[in-house]
Amino acid sequence: MDSVSVLISGAGPTGLTLGLELARRGVPVRIIDKEESFTTASRGKAGIQPRTLEVFYDLGVIDKVLASGTQRLPFRRYRRDRLINETIPYLDNAPTQGEPFRRLHFMPQSRVEEILRERLAEYGVAVELGTELVEFEQTDMDRVTATLSAAQGAEQLSAAYLVGADGGRSLVRKQLGISFEGFTEEEKQLIVGDVRIDGLTPDAWYQWLDLDLGVVMLCPLSGTRSWQIQATPPADAEGRPMEPSVQALQRAVDRATGMPIRVHGATWLSTSRINVRMADRLRAGRVFLAGDAAHVHPVLGALGANTGVQDAYNLGWKLALVLAGAAPELLDTYQEERLPVARWTLDTSVASTRAVFEEMTGGIGGAEAGLTQETLQLGLEYRAGSLSRAILGETDTGVQAGDRAPDSVCLDMAGQLVRLFDVFRGPHFTLVGFGAGCETALREVAAGAPDDLRTCLLGERPAAYGLAADTLVLVRPDGYIGLTAPSGDSAAVLGYLGSLLGGTVPAATA
């Protein structure tokens, strides 16, 4: 029986991100997907959020991602053939020192997956297509035995851990018996697909939102000649919603727009319904859920694949550390930190959907109503989590343990410019000393810490961090702050790392 450290079922953005997080740490991983070929469907086309762009910066794919889409897409709303409103979401969100990405990035999900696969290939990992997880069993405390089915026959595989990133109909979740509570609104459905469009210039997301004539939204897909269409299905002769087809879409477009727009050349068609569900737990022994396998919600607000990518980014470094000998309890913090985010995502997506429908009723705005500063996901934090520890005075008003670590261009002690996101980039912890008073503590920590700790001493305290005094800030591998401590408290840093890594770092005394 073959063996692997981590088996990932599902090769969407969530599974690929997790595979990349593990592969760059040298963890043996297999990624399987039951599909016979890679999809070219746009699916979640509307947007990569700024926090996910930060993840992609760390993973080394940001240049390809930014080159494959746009952040300047007008939302153009019509009533029949009359233009009534046009806006560009987040137009005023200029980059800042602390937040270099502050706008939604539009590109097809299929291109995101292609970029992640290319990056994975650099580590010698390829997705195994046409390979399906049939069943699995946690036979003892140390392994998961999985049965895979492929064209060449069945295979038994032993894995230290299994991660279900296999979508809303997750076999992994179902076999674990984990509930998926929520609701589905069957009557609220849209036909969606990738098509060719004649009669419109591909320079905006065109939207017809009419409660009587139906919804039609046409979005050009960057880097292609295709558009993604979303439309209320017209009724057939018996009054039932028509199944997805070019003919149904053309009828929907004709009715809603009254314009000479031709729909043709469909390469992908599906039906979308409002579906709001969440798993009640993300872990059962050595098996985890991530992405749509753990939470599904409306598309408005553009949070779906983004939340899955961030699930994987949270889980990957923890799995790698535990496989390297860290305390297994570290894996409990995945559910502790990500389950509240899943709840926030569902609530926020539902609120975004409600806001868009209110705009539809008002007759002026469009899908931009579902996009807020909150949906950028830059404010998500783990302050209440067990990995977040602050050893500072109560009057300190700067960043806190559990916050996302801001970016900034700073001066180091030699007067050289340093970009913090470049210091953080890579599979390591980073201890930053903000101010010359941290020099001795950084030296003491570096002498006793593991090889995967990077230290950086700065000669200033940048505004993005809001620190009132010289401060030690320990940044986790996923870009969140684990610890804040006074400038001379090396013992706090070593103690934190020691407890986290299960004793591989000595717990120093003051």
CSV table of all heavy atoms in Angstrom, one decimal, residues 191-192 195 229 233-234 242-252 263 266 268-271:
chain,number,residue,atom,x,y,z
A,191,ILE,N,-29.8,30.8,-14.6
A,191,ILE,CA,-29.0,30.0,-15.5
A,191,ILE,C,-27.6,30.8,-15.6
A,191,ILE,O,-27.6,32.0,-15.8
A,191,ILE,CB,-29.6,30.0,-16.9
A,191,ILE,CG1,-31.0,29.3,-16.9
A,191,ILE,CG2,-28.8,29.2,-17.9
A,191,ILE,CD1,-31.8,29.4,-18.2
A,192,VAL,N,-26.5,30.0,-15.5
A,192,VAL,CA,-25.2,30.6,-15.6
A,192,VAL,C,-24.4,29.9,-16.7
A,192,VAL,O,-24.7,28.7,-17.0
A,192,VAL,CB,-24.5,30.6,-14.3
A,192,VAL,CG1,-25.2,31.5,-13.3
A,192,VAL,CG2,-24.3,29.2,-13.8
A,195,VAL,N,-20.4,32.1,-22.5
A,195,VAL,CA,-20.9,32.2,-23.9
A,195,VAL,C,-20.2,33.2,-24.7
A,195,VAL,O,-19.4,34.0,-24.1
A,195,VAL,CB,-22.4,32.5,-23.8
A,195,VAL,CG1,-23.2,31.4,-23.1
A,195,VAL,CG2,-22.6,33.9,-23.2
A,229,ILE,N,-22.5,34.7,-18.3
A,229,ILE,CA,-23.9,35.2,-18.3
A,229,ILE,C,-24.6,34.6,-17.1
A,229,ILE,O,-24.4,33.4,-16.7
A,229,ILE,CB,-24.7,34.8,-19.6
A,229,ILE,CG1,-26.1,35.4,-19.6
A,229,ILE,CG2,-24.7,33.3,-19.8
A,229,ILE,CD1,-26.8,35.3,-20.9
A,233,PRO,N,-34.2,32.1,-15.6
A,233,PRO,CA,-34.6,31.2,-16.6
A,233,PRO,C,-36.1,31.5,-17.1
A,233,PRO,O,-36.9,31.7,-16.2
A,233,PRO,CB,-34.6,29.8,-16.0
A,233,PRO,CG,-34.6,30.1,-14.5
A,233,PRO,CD,-33.9,31.4,-14.3
A,234,PRO,N,-36.3,31.7,-18.4
A,234,PRO,CA,-37.7,31.9,-18.8
A,234,PRO,C,-38.5,30.7,-18.6
A,234,PRO,O,-38.0,29.6,-18.4
A,234,PRO,CB,-37.5,32.2,-20.3
A,234,PRO,CG,-36.2,31.6,-20.7
A,234,PRO,CD,-35.3,31.6,-19.5
A,242,MET,N,-37.0,27.0,-17.7
A,242,MET,CA,-36.3,26.2,-18.7
A,242,MET,C,-35.0,25.8,-18.2
A,242,MET,O,-34.3,26.4,-17.4
A,242,MET,CB,-36.2,27.1,-20.0
A,242,MET,CG,-37.5,27.5,-20.7
A,242,MET,SD,-37.2,28.5,-22.2
A,242,MET,CE,-36.3,27.3,-23.2
A,243,GLU,N,-34.5,24.6,-18.7
A,243,GLU,CA,-33.2,24.1,-18.4
A,243,GLU,C,-32.2,25.0,-19.1
A,243,GLU,O,-32.5,25.7,-20.1
A,243,GLU,CB,-33.1,22.7,-18.9
A,243,GLU,CG,-34.0,21.7,-18.1
A,243,GLU,CD,-33.6,21.6,-16.6
A,243,GLU,OE1,-32.4,21.6,-16.3
A,243,GLU,OE2,-34.5,21.7,-15.8
A,244,PRO,N,-30.9,25.0,-18.6
A,244,PRO,CA,-29.9,25.8,-19.3
A,244,PRO,C,-29.6,25.4,-20.7
A,244,PRO,O,-29.4,24.2,-21.1
A,244,PRO,CB,-28.6,25.5,-18.4
A,244,PRO,CG,-29.2,25.0,-17.1
A,244,PRO,CD,-30.4,24.3,-17.4
A,245,SER,N,-29.7,26.4,-21.6
A,245,SER,CA,-29.4,26.2,-23.0
A,245,SER,C,-29.2,27.6,-23.6
A,245,SER,O,-29.6,28.6,-23.1
A,245,SER,CB,-30.6,25.5,-23.7
A,245,SER,OG,-31.7,26.4,-23.8
A,246,VAL,N,-28.6,27.6,-24.8
A,246,VAL,CA,-28.4,28.9,-25.5
A,246,VAL,C,-29.8,29.5,-25.8
A,246,VAL,O,-30.0,30.7,-25.7
A,246,VAL,CB,-27.6,28.7,-26.8
A,246,VAL,CG1,-27.6,30.0,-27.7
A,246,VAL,CG2,-26.1,28.4,-26.4
A,247,GLN,N,-30.7,28.7,-26.2
A,247,GLN,CA,-32.1,29.1,-26.5
A,247,GLN,C,-32.7,29.8,-25.3
A,247,GLN,O,-33.4,30.9,-25.5
A,247,GLN,CB,-33.0,28.0,-27.1
A,247,GLN,CG,-32.5,27.4,-28.4
A,247,GLN,CD,-31.3,26.5,-28.3
A,247,GLN,OE1,-30.9,26.0,-27.2
A,247,GLN,NE2,-30.6,26.4,-29.4
A,248,ALA,N,-32.6,29.2,-24.2
A,248,ALA,CA,-33.2,29.8,-23.0
A,248,ALA,C,-32.5,31.1,-22.6
A,248,ALA,O,-33.2,32.1,-22.3
A,248,ALA,CB,-33.1,28.8,-21.8
A,249,LEU,N,-31.2,31.1,-22.8
A,249,LEU,CA,-30.5,32.4,-22.5
A,249,LEU,C,-30.9,33.5,-23.5
A,249,LEU,O,-31.1,34.7,-23.1
A,249,LEU,CB,-29.0,32.1,-22.5
A,249,LEU,CG,-28.4,31.3,-21.4
A,249,LEU,CD1,-27.0,30.9,-21.7
A,249,LEU,CD2,-28.5,32.1,-20.1
A,250,GLN,N,-31.0,33.1,-24.7
A,250,GLN,CA,-31.4,34.2,-25.7
A,250,GLN,C,-32.8,34.7,-25.4
A,250,GLN,O,-33.0,35.9,-25.5
A,250,GLN,CB,-31.4,33.6,-27.1
A,250,GLN,CG,-31.6,34.6,-28.2
A,250,GLN,CD,-30.5,35.6,-28.3
A,250,GLN,OE1,-29.3,35.2,-28.6
A,250,GLN,NE2,-30.7,36.9,-28.1
A,251,ARG,N,-33.7,33.9,-25.0
A,251,ARG,CA,-35.1,34.3,-24.6
A,251,ARG,C,-35.0,35.3,-23.4
A,251,ARG,O,-35.7,36.3,-23.4
A,251,ARG,CB,-36.0,33.1,-24.3
A,251,ARG,CG,-36.5,32.4,-25.6
A,251,ARG,CD,-37.4,31.3,-25.2
A,251,ARG,NE,-38.6,31.7,-24.5
A,251,ARG,CZ,-39.5,30.9,-24.0
A,251,ARG,NH1,-39.4,29.6,-24.3
A,251,ARG,NH2,-40.5,31.4,-23.3
A,252,ALA,N,-34.2,34.9,-22.4
A,252,ALA,CA,-34.0,35.7,-21.3
A,252,ALA,C,-33.5,37.1,-21.6
A,252,ALA,O,-33.9,38.1,-21.1
A,252,ALA,CB,-33.2,35.0,-20.2
A,263,VAL,N,-26.7,35.7,-28.3
A,263,VAL,CA,-26.0,34.8,-27.4
A,263,VAL,C,-25.6,33.5,-28.2
A,263,VAL,O,-26.5,33.0,-28.9
A,263,VAL,CB,-26.8,34.4,-26.2
A,263,VAL,CG1,-26.1,33.4,-25.3
A,263,VAL,CG2,-27.3,35.6,-25.4
A,266,ALA,N,-21.8,28.6,-26.4
A,266,ALA,CA,-21.7,28.2,-25.0
A,266,ALA,C,-20.7,27.1,-24.9
A,266,ALA,O,-20.7,26.1,-25.6
A,266,ALA,CB,-23.1,27.8,-24.5
A,268,TRP,N,-20.0,26.3,-21.4
A,268,TRP,CA,-20.3,25.8,-20.0
A,268,TRP,C,-21.7,26.4,-19.6
A,268,TRP,O,-21.9,27.6,-19.8
A,268,TRP,CB,-19.3,26.2,-19.0
A,268,TRP,CG,-19.7,25.9,-17.6
A,268,TRP,CD1,-19.9,24.8,-16.9
A,268,TRP,CD2,-19.9,27.0,-16.6
A,268,TRP,NE1,-20.3,25.0,-15.6
A,268,TRP,CE2,-20.3,26.3,-15.4
A,268,TRP,CE3,-19.9,28.4,-16.6
A,268,TRP,CZ2,-20.6,27.0,-14.2
A,268,TRP,CZ3,-20.2,29.1,-15.4
A,268,TRP,CH2,-20.5,28.4,-14.3
A,269,LEU,N,-22.6,25.5,-19.2
A,269,LEU,CA,-23.9,26.0,-18.7
A,269,LEU,C,-24.2,25.3,-17.4
A,269,LEU,O,-23.9,24.1,-17.2
A,269,LEU,CB,-25.0,25.7,-19.8
A,269,LEU,CG,-24.9,26.5,-21.1
A,269,LEU,CD1,-25.9,25.9,-22.1
A,269,LEU,CD2,-25.1,28.0,-20.9
A,270,SER,N,-24.9,26.0,-16.5
A,270,SER,CA,-25.3,25.4,-15.3
A,270,SER,C,-26.5,26.1,-14.7
A,270,SER,O,-26.9,27.1,-15.3
A,270,SER,CB,-24.1,25.3,-14.3
A,270,SER,OG,-24.5,24.7,-13.1
A,271,THR,N,-27.0,25.7,-13.5
A,271,THR,CA,-28.0,26.4,-12.8
A,271,THR,C,-27.5,26.7,-11.4
A,271,THR,O,-26.9,25.9,-10.7
A,271,THR,CB,-29.3,25.5,-12.7
A,271,THR,OG1,-29.8,25.2,-14.0
A,271,THR,CG2,-30.4,26.2,-11.9
